[in-house]
Amino acid sequence: MEFSPEILPSISSLSPSAISFLNTTFHSKHDLNLSESTHLVTELDTHCSELTHHLSNLTRRIDAILLSYASSSHRITDAFQHIHRQLQDLKSNSTFASNSDGKMEEMAADELPALAKEVARVEMVRNYAETALKLDSLVGDIEDAVTSVMNRNLKKHSARQYSEEIHVNAINSLQLVEDVLASVTRGHPRWVRLLSAADHRVDRALAILRPQAIADHRTLLVSLGWPPSLSTLSSSNIDGRRISEVPNPLSEMNGELKHKYCESFLALCRLQELQRRRKSRQLEGYNHGTSLYQPLWGIEELMNPLSLASLHHFQKWVDKPEFIFALVYKNIRDYIDSVDELLQPLVDEAMLTGYSCREEWISAMVTSLSTYLAKEIFPAYVSRLDEETTLEARLQARTSWLHLVDLMIAFDKKIQALAAHSGILLSIEEYSLLQRISSLSVFCDRPDWLDLWAQIELDSVLERLKPEMEDERNWTTKISGAAPFSGSEDYKSPVVSSILLKNVSSVIDRCRSLPTVFLRSQFVRLVGAPIIQTFLNCLLTKCQEAEGLTALADDDAVAKVMTSVNSAQHIKSILIEWCDDIIFVEMGLEDDSELEKPFNERSFTEGDGNGVLDEEITKLEEFRKEWVDKMTNVVLRGFDAQVRDYIKNRKQWQEKIEEGWTVTKAFVVALDFLQGKTSSLEEGLNGMDFTAVWRSLANGIDRLIFNSILMSNVKFHSGGVERFVGDMDVLYGVFRSWCMRPEGFFPRVSNGLKLLKMAEKHLQEIFIQGEVWMKQNGIRHLSLAEAEKIARCRVFS
């Protein structure tokens, strides 16, 4: 018996999908192998059974929807029939009303609002029914896609292309559902039960779709050869200069594989954007400014396997953390360009606004590093500090801690430089981004570690500062050459003050790397403030020792006090200058909630008491004022002792001055003492404090001479007035080196001289006109009683 071969159909009679399937399955004649036919038939039968099952599900759902629609349609039809009957009744009532009185017209008019209300109710019921049916249909499509995904997972053989189509269709349906739900939220916020039911069904679908999409994406990454091999790395070549370039799978993939990866990444981005839209809708009306951000899922899937591959090397480098930071930086630098070029267009296509692939890549890698530091490195270093008993071992543990922090600060600076080079703008408002790309963010969740670091840092600075403060040469040597801080020469401060400022400046520079304002403020309070307080205690001790030995009567003792005052004034001025820096302005914000506002909307408190170092600045100012007053009082006491004989000689105001003299001999000694002391103070004190000293001296001498001479009922003859005027001119001359009109700083004595020099008739008018006369003659610093007392003591020949 002969069998004729079966004739195959022509290509033109085949559908495009059949032609595509044959081209995909049979690439060449060698693929036409009968041994493969059984497998192919099995796969086709399985696919057909899946489609048949899916068709059956769709048929059942269509029947249910039609049944529901028919039920709703009957209810709506009944409602319209009821309205039609009411309209007919209204028509008959209106016809009847045309032949009746006005009372029937009022009855018909009363029914119109009720009828309008009924029409609006029916319209709302219709909208509700249509929306519910639409949501039910769309959510049903999503649930069918979920069922197909679950069925595919139960079977080993399934077309990958078919799986991708399911994911795409499901995401499209999810977006349509979210559009409807957003419209309902805006237009009908009282339909809470409908929204809740739809959200519940969508959440169940997403709980299956997202993990499956991520699992498929991970499988695709493995097929791409991700993560790249790190097995060639070692401590000797971690810098990357002595090893060949590691292949970059992201740059090398092409063709169908690249297309599949991009589609998978795009699906993840669309799912994430959908999730963000849902959260935004559900949290509408609440303060959710920081709750909507999530790391980019696709970037996280790239980072996780790379971090796991790096973990093997990290475990070998616990005692060599510099290699850990070098490896992480190398991974960030090597792949940041390819991540941006390949994935950023996909993020933009998914409408995932506010995301930069460069930022997310840096953030993901640094966050992974921070997590490892918090779980493995820092606990080991803390245990070393707690367990070591010998002094040498504890010093070594502290040194290791500071070395680790130095590496973290250097790493963060390199990362910020890389971010800036990549076009990422790090403004003072981007606190969340700064925290995500800083390894020092480990201290945000562990304030006890920050306290420990601050204590170690403080001990280290004080150990360096103590021998410098004990070295007397640093107190006697003034700053020469280029001053490290502005105004050092003007303040005549010793070298030790610049040494202190260098240490405080280094502390502030280290705190700048901390990612949050609270951490910076806390670090400055824990380290910077105690350093300044320690130095202030040293200044106070030196001044008290000088005062206790000679009561500041000795020039050497006064010189020590002047040196301390100059140092305090210099440090205070530099600290005030630093407080204008934005880092201190932010730390001075009274309310931490202000930091969450945009920078141009924050309220900055002006005045005292709003800075982290205000207390130390206040203490320095109080110290300076206290010892400037003490030096002034020492000079005033000395001047009082020297001028005592001059004051006691009351007869001299009745006589002319000695021939050939322009000043009273007894007053010359006091003036010489005053000139010598003020010259010494001018030479040793800074300009600001010396100005305060000579003004205080002028005020004290003015009060002394006025009370001891002018108010002591001394009788002034014309010759005595001449003598007194000459003496005061010489006194004014002592202060003329520092001001143009020294008599202005002796207001009482100047007003007294003015009265004494007046003619008798003019002076007597004070007893008639009183205060009016005093104002007319410029006597503003004396009371009427004082002026009248001086006038009575004036004796005219």
Side-chain angles (χ1 to χ4, degrees):
M1 183 179 293
E2 296 181 358
F3 296 93
S4 61
E6 186 175 350
I7 301 175
L8 298 175
S10 62
I11 296 179
S12 60
S13 63
L14 298 178
S15 65
S17 60
I19 295 175
S20 175
F21 172 76
L22 292 174
N23 290 334
T24 305
T25 306
F26 303 104
H27 299 285
S28 64
K29 294 189 298 182
H30 299 289
D31 294 333
L32 301 175
N33 189 352
L34 293 179
S35 61
E36 299 292 333
S37 61
T38 303
H39 172 70
L40 179 60
V41 170
T42 302
E43 183 176 351
L44 290 175
D45 290 340
T46 302
H47 194 185
C48 289
S49 63
E50 288 180 357
L51 292 176
T52 302
H53 179 70
H54 184 58
L55 182 61
S56 300
N57 290 336
L58 290 177
T59 303
R60 285 195 297 273
R61 294 203 58 79
I62 291 173
D63 293 339
I65 292 172
L66 289 175
L67 181 61
S68 175
Y69 177 78
S71 176
S72 301
S73 177
H74 287 317
R75 290 196 300 271
I76 295 173
T77 301
D78 292 340
F80 275 112
Q81 288 176 353
H82 177 67
I83 295 172
H84 180 70
R85 286 194 298 271
Q86 289 184 335
L87 290 174
Q88 291 296 331
D89 293 340
L90 178 62
K91 181 178 179 181
S92 6
N93 289 336
S94 62
T95 304
F96 175 75
S98 63
N99 302 319
S100 62
D101 54 8
K103 183 176 180 181
M104 298 302 296
E105 293 180 1
E106 293 179 1
M107 294 176 61
D110 291 339
E111 294 182 1
L112 287 176
L115 180 62
K117 185 177 181 180
E118 183 68 16
V119 172
R121 187 186 68 81
V122 172
E123 179 66 17
M124 186 181 69
V125 171
R126 184 182 67 81
N127 289 337
Y128 187 90
E130 290 179 353
T131 303
L133 289 174
K134 186 175 182 179
L135 284 174
D136 185 67
S137 175
L138 292 173
V139 176
D141 293 340
I142 298 171
E143 291 172 342
D144 290 339
V146 171
T147 303
S148 300
V149 170
M150 296 177 65
N151 291 335
R152 181 179 66 84
N153 291 337
L154 295 175
K155 300 176 182 179
K156 295 182 179 179
H157 303 289
S158 180
R160 180 178 182 85
Q161 183 179 3
Y162 176 63
S163 173
E164 292 176 356
E165 291 177 358
I166 293 176
H167 284 148
V168 171
N169 293 333
I171 293 173
N172 291 335
S173 298
L174 283 167
Q175 291 178 334
L176 292 175
V177 168
E178 185 57 32
D179 291 339
V180 175
L181 292 178
S183 176
V184 171
T185 302
R186 292 190 300 268
H188 306 282
R190 298 180 63 183
W191 294 359
V192 179
R193 293 185 178 180
L194 179 62
L195 291 170
S196 177
D199 277 336
H200 179 66
R201 293 175 64 183
V202 171
D203 287 338
R204 286 191 304 176
L206 283 174
I208 298 174
L209 283 176
R210 180 191 169 188
Q212 186 59 47
I214 291 177
D216 293 344
H217 189 76
R218 290 174 180 174
T219 303
L220 189 57
L221 280 175
V222 173
S223 67
L224 290 175
W226 186 270
S229 175
L230 301 176
S231 59
T232 58
L233 293 177
S234 65
S235 60
S236 61
N237 60 21
I238 187 60
D239 57 0
R241 291 191 296 267
R242 291 183 294 275
I243 59 174
S244 58
E245 288 294 329
V246 178
N248 185 350
L250 297 179
S251 301
E252 295 179 354
M253 65 177 177
N254 49 42
E256 185 67 19
L257 196 59
K258 181 177 181 180
H259 174 73
K260 290 180 179 180
Y261 174 77
C262 291
E263 288 296 325
S264 179
F265 185 88
L266 181 60
L268 284 182
C269 290
R270 294 178 65 189
L271 273 176
Q272 185 167 2
E273 170 59 16
L274 176 70
Q275 185 77 0
R276 188 167 69 164
R277 285 180 59 194
R278 287 173 56 77
K279 280 189 177 182
S280 178
R281 172 177 57 80
Q282 293 167 354
L283 297 175
E284 189 171 354
Y286 300 91
N287 183 16
H288 57 273
T290 58
S291 62
L292 295 182
Y293 172 78
Q294 282 187 334
L296 203 58
W297 295 348
I299 297 296
E300 290 283 302
E301 295 306 318
L302 281 175
M303 178 275 298
N304 287 331
L306 188 60
S307 296
L308 290 175
S310 303
L311 187 61
H312 169 70
H313 298 280
F314 290 173
Q315 293 171 348
K316 298 184 297 184
W317 296 335
V318 175
D319 294 327
K320 296 289 184 180
E322 58 267 24
F323 299 146
I324 296 177
F325 290 102
L327 177 57
V328 173
Y329 179 76
K330 182 180 184 301
N331 287 335
I332 295 174
R333 182 197 60 200
D334 288 350
Y335 303 110
I336 187 172
D337 291 333
S338 55
V339 164
D340 181 64
E341 293 171 2
L342 178 65
L343 303 181
Q344 187 63 49
L346 302 177
V347 173
D348 298 337
E349 183 180 347
M351 304 297 290
L352 201 55
T353 57
Y355 282 90
S356 164
C357 286
R358 287 181 178 271
E359 290 180 10
E360 293 300 315
W361 176 247
I362 295 175
S363 171
M365 294 300 296
V366 174
T367 302
S368 173
L369 170 64
S370 300
T371 303
Y372 180 78
L373 292 174
K375 288 184 177 180
E376 303 293 338
I377 301 298
F378 270 96
Y381 278 58
V382 171
S383 63
R384 290 179 188 177
L385 288 170
D386 296 336
E387 293 172 0
E388 301 296 347
T389 56
T390 64
L391 178 60
E392 183 178 354
R394 289 187 63 83
L395 289 175
Q396 181 61 36
R398 288 170 50 192
T399 302
S400 299
W401 179 286
L402 293 177
H403 177 60
L404 174 63
V405 173
D406 289 339
L407 292 173
M408 296 171 70
I409 293 174
F411 174 79
D412 287 353
K413 289 181 178 179
K414 291 174 65 178
I415 289 297
Q416 292 179 11
L418 178 62
H421 180 70
S422 300
I424 301 174
L425 299 178
L426 298 176
S427 67
I428 56 178
E429 301 180 29
E430 295 292 340
Y431 286 109
S432 60
L433 177 58
L434 288 173
Q435 185 171 340
R436 286 186 283 120
I437 66 171
S438 172
S439 61
L440 291 170
S441 60
V442 295
F443 295 110
C444 294
D445 298 326
R446 294 301 301 266
D448 55 326
W449 289 351
L450 180 70
D451 295 342
L452 184 57
W453 172 28
Q455 187 59 50
I456 295 173
E457 196 77 41
L458 176 61
D459 293 342
S460 176
V461 173
L462 292 180
E463 286 178 5
R464 297 194 304 268
L465 191 60
K466 184 178 179 180
E468 299 289 353
M469 291 191 299
E470 292 176 350
D471 190 350
E472 288 298 326
R473 292 174 298 178
N474 291 332
W475 294 93
T476 57
T477 304
K478 298 295 187 292
I479 298 173
S480 59
F485 295 96
S486 61
S488 299
E489 295 114 339
D490 296 338
Y491 293 113
K492 302 178 181 179
S493 56
V495 172
V496 69
S497 60
S498 289
I499 295 175
L500 173 84
L501 289 171
K502 285 181 182 178
N503 284 276
V504 177
S505 177
S506 67
V507 169
I508 295 172
D509 288 340
R510 289 170 79 76
C511 91
R512 289 178 188 272
S513 301
L514 290 168
T516 67
V517 175
F518 173 77
L519 293 180
R520 297 170 198 162
S521 175
Q522 190 72 2
F523 189 78
V524 172
R525 286 189 174 98
L526 292 174
V527 184
I531 293 173
I532 298 171
Q533 184 61 51
T534 300
F535 187 76
L536 182 58
N537 293 338
C538 178
L539 295 179
L540 183 60
T541 300
K542 286 184 170 294
C543 290
Q544 288 175 342
E545 290 176 353
E547 184 184 31
L549 291 175
T550 62
L552 300 183
D554 182 60
D555 289 343
D556 292 338
V558 174
K560 290 181 179 180
V561 174
M562 287 192 295
T563 299
S564 299
V565 170
N566 290 341
S567 185
Q569 177 70 359
H570 182 205
I571 294 170
K572 186 204 77 170
S573 301
I574 296 298
L575 292 180
I576 292 176
E577 182 180 329
W578 286 349
C579 287
D580 292 335
D581 193 334
I582 185 62
I583 186 175
F584 280 95
V585 174
E586 289 188 325
M587 287 190 290
L589 287 174
E590 293 183 354
D591 187 2
D592 290 339
S593 64
E594 291 289 324
L595 298 174
E596 299 176 1
K597 300 179 181 179
F599 185 78
N600 57 355
E601 296 181 7
R602 299 176 191 168
S603 59
F604 296 93
T605 306
E606 296 182 358
D608 297 332
N610 66 325
V612 292
L613 296 178
D614 276 353
E615 184 177 350
E616 284 64 38
I617 292 174
T618 301
K619 290 180 179 179
L620 287 168
E621 178 65 13
E622 291 174 352
F623 168 84
R624 183 192 68 82
K625 287 182 177 179
E626 177 186 356
W627 289 96
V628 164
D629 290 343
K630 286 187 176 183
M631 287 188 291
T632 303
N633 291 334
V634 167
V635 177
L636 285 175
R637 286 197 301 267
F639 181 80
D640 186 19
Q642 297 292 333
V643 83
R644 184 56 50 192
D645 293 339
Y646 174 76
I647 293 174
K648 289 180 179 180
N649 188 358
R650 302 167 66 90
K651 293 183 179 180
Q652 63 184 336
W653 310 120
Q654 302 173 14
E655 305 169 350
K656 288 187 177 183
I657 195 169
E658 294 85 351
E659 189 70 28
W661 286 82
T662 58
V663 61
T664 304
K665 294 181 181 180
F667 198 46
V668 171
V669 178
L671 292 176
D672 184 62
F673 171 84
L674 179 63
Q675 181 73 48
K677 290 297 182 181
T678 51
S679 298
S680 177
L681 291 172
E682 182 183 17
E683 182 179 353
L685 268 181
N686 63 85
M688 184 179 298
D689 286 324
F690 175 69
T691 300
V693 167
W694 73 255
R695 289 186 176 183
S696 297
L697 286 174
N699 183 63
I701 294 172
D702 177 61
R703 187 169 53 251
L704 173 65
I705 294 177
F706 179 78
N707 292 330
S708 301
I709 299 177
L710 295 177
M711 290 288 102
S712 63
N713 293 317
V714 173
K715 301 300 181 181
F716 279 91
H717 292 251
S718 297
V721 172
E722 250 181 70
R723 177 193 292 269
F724 190 59
V725 170
D727 292 345
M728 293 303 102
D729 284 341
V730 177
L731 175 62
Y732 295 159
V734 174
F735 292 88
R736 191 163 279 115
S737 301
W738 312 301
C739 60
M740 296 296 295
R741 293 183 64 257
E743 57 272 15
F745 295 94
F746 296 84
R748 300 175 185 86
V749 172
S750 297
N751 280 180
L753 282 175
K754 191 179 231 184
L755 290 172
L756 293 176
K757 290 190 291 184
M758 288 182 181
E760 180 179 6
K761 183 178 180 181
H762 186 56
L763 182 60
Q764 294 303 315
E765 291 180 2
I766 189 174
F767 299 104
I768 302 173
Q769 301 181 24
E771 292 184 355
V772 176
W773 182 89
M774 290 178 63
K775 289 182 180 179
Q776 292 175 351
N777 289 273
I779 309 299
R780 296 182 175 85
H781 300 284
L782 301 179
S783 66
L784 179 59
E786 291 172 338
E788 290 178 345
K789 187 175 183 179
I790 294 175
R792 291 191 186 98
C793 292
R794 178 67 169 96
V795 178
F796 294 92
S797 304

